[in-house]
């Protein structure tokens, strides 16, 4: 557990102030004190080596030694973050990134301090502690060239650029550094699960990282928000491993609501979320994130069949069981690892997989394995459509309407890419499933309700018509949109459902995913003004780094939940592209 002095020195910040550094294999959060307070190594689902974010030991801070105010921005189309501090007599920046392309077994943290017109006194502190802060650095050694090496747990460390650092009484390395005016100073930290390779050069690493990002992220010049679209793609790219799996978020235990018990570990690949990202990457010309999504999902479908799970680690293994950590957690939350979704059945994910395959087929990017996987998923829906499932919100099992409608959309989408006789059979099955769902899940107004046992509306029910489950002018589509507008919206934001009779916002925050879905639903109806209002309102919920979490506290104007939330950035990317054209959906 973190010591009182260190907690006071590097307290947690509000989520809107954290920037993400990521390379596909792991991610770090960096705060306004230049404090990297979260990093798991060597991969996403391994233990944190910097866990101050959730009350553990471990932080890597680079900040001015004089009073200053903070700001910053990403270099366009990258996850290269520039913290910028303005002091009374100078300006100094820290250019921060994880080296890219990534080595799956070795983290390389790049930090380049750049002084302005005056000398910049800086304070640098390094405290790498494996096992969520339980194991301190040991075997500290400074070589003749000033390079530091150490170990923590089973990991090896090497730190370049800090020859004058000194160990303090708490086992940290502390460096007081003066960067002369107009110059720069490089720090390169390596954390490895194996033997460290020959020392890399900072200039080469920076050149490779910038080049790789520039080549990886399209410009999205034709979208209605090119900067945010590029940034969302960069975030999704940074969350996607070399094997194609995209984690849902970089963090664990960040609360959706203070002391409400809804604290989860999202460092795993949710197939649904991956499909959302793939669909966003397929709106115009196909981008590599589409191929990544298809490859990862196909591998899991063919390997697991009717044992398909909702979530996996990036290497294809299931997430571990939920286990609490002996740490305070982010304020209002609770620290835990693993996720209970590993044992759930989520029918809607099958429909989203078929929608992904249909989008890939439309770009002629579906190979024979993926076509076989599509057949497997169609068969799974045939056999399981009437079984209770956990649904998109991963609640208790029920006969959730959205799950069935997502499957209708998926079946209809993929049927267009089958031979005629098979297409007719799949489309007929979709019609039967829609009829069965309508017979159980329409309310007195003709709107879709959450389930036969839950007579209220759910904002997720707006998405299946956008995906082609029903026409835009179907009375059920229109009635559901009216019900969501009337019952689940507040000040330009959308809540997923009303959990009870309390006012909106008392039970949980607005869901930013639902705000972008609302924009797509209004766009499908041809109401461009409303669509843009929802889009603009929800994309502006971020802080300076432009990252979005799952929820937004409308009253306090604060992000809530794990950060950054991949499916929110996926829907932002999709909406930014769709609003640039005419309403044309499946």
């Amino acid at each position: 557990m973190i010591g009182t002095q260190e907690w006071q020195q590097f307290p947690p910040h509000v989520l809107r102030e954290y920037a993400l550094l990521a390379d596909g294999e792991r991610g770090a959060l960096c705060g306004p004190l230049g404090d990297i307070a979260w990093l798991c190594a060597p991969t996403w689902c391994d233990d944190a080596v910097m866990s101050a974010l959730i009350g553990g030991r471990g932080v890597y801070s680079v900040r001015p030694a004089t009073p200053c105010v903070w700001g910053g921005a990403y270099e366009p189309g990258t996850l290269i973050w520039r913290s910028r501090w303005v002091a009374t007599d100078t300006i100094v920046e820290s250019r921060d990134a994880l080296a890219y392309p990534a080595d799956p077994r070795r983290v390389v943290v790049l930090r380049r301090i750049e002084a302005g017109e005056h000398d910049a006194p800086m304070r640098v502190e390094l405290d790498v502690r494996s096992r969520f802060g339980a194991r301190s650095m040991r075997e500290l050694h400074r070589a003749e060239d000033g390079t530091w090496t150490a170990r923590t747990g089973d990991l090896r460390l090497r730190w370049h650029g800090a020859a004058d650092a000194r160990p303090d009484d708490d086992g940290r390395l502390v460096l007081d550094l003066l960067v002369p005016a107009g110059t720069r100073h490089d720090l390169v930290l390596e954390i490895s699960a194996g033997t460290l390779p020959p020392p890399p050069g900072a200039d080469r690493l920076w050149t490779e990282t910038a080049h790789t990002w520039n080549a990886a992220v399209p410009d999205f010049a034709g979208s209605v928000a090119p900067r945010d679209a590029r940034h969302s793609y960069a975030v999704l790219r940074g969350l996607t491993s070399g094997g194609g799996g995209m984690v849902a978020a970089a963090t664990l235990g960040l609360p959706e609501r203070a002391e409400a018990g809804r604290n989860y570990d999202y460092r795993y690949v949710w197939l649904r979320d991956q499909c959302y990202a793939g669909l966003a990457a397929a709106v115009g010309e196909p981008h590599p994130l589409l191929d990544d999504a298809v490859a990862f999902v196909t591998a899991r479908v063919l390997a697991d069949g009717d044992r398909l799970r909702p979530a996996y680690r990036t290497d294809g293994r299931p997430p571990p069981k939920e286990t609490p950590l002996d740490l305070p957690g982010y304020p209002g939350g609770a620290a835990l690892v693993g996720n209970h979704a590993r044992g759930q059945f989520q029918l809607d994910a099958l429909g989203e997989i078929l929608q992904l395959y249909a989008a890939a087929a439309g770009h002629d990017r579906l190979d024979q394995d993926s076509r076989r996987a599509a057949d497997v998923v169609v068969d799974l829906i045939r056999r399981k459509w009437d079984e209770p499932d956990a649904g998109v919100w991963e609640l208790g099992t029920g006969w959730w309407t959205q799950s069935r409608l997502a499957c209708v959309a998926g079946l209809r989408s993929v049927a267009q890419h089958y031979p005629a006789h098979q297409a007719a059979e799949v489309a007929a099955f979709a019609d039967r499933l829609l009829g069965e769902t309508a017979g159980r899940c329409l309310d007195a107004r003709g709107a879709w309700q959450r389930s036969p046992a839950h007579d209220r509306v759910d904002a997720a029910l707006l998405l299946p018509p956008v995906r082609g489950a029903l026409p835009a002018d179907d009375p059920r589509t229109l009635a559901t949109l009216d019900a969501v507008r009337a019952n689940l919206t507040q000040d330009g934001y959308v809540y997923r459902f009303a959990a009870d009779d309390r006012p909106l916002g008392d039970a949980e925050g607005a869901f930013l995913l639902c705000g972008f879905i609302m924009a797509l639903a209004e766009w499908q109806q041809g109401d461009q003004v409303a669509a843009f209002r929802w889009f603009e309102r929800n994309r502006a919920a971020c802080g300076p780094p432009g990252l979005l979490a799952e929820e937004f506290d409308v009253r306090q104007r604060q992000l809530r939940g794990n950060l950054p939330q991949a499916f929110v950035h996926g829907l932002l990317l999709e909406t930014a592209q769709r609003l640039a054209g005419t309403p044309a959906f499946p």
Side-chain angles (χ1 to χ4, degrees), residues 189-209:
L189 171 66
E190 300 168 84
I191 306 171
S192 178
T195 302
L196 287 161
D203 287 340
R204 179 174 64 83
L205 289 170
W206 274 117
T207 299
E208 290 178 351
T209 298

Side-chain angles (χ1 to χ4, degrees), residues 3 48 59 101 180 190 198 222 287 292 340 364 384 418 538:
V59 71
E190 300 168 84
H287 299 296
D292 288 333
H340 69 284
D364 195 24
K384 292 177 173 288
Y418 276 133
N538 284 266

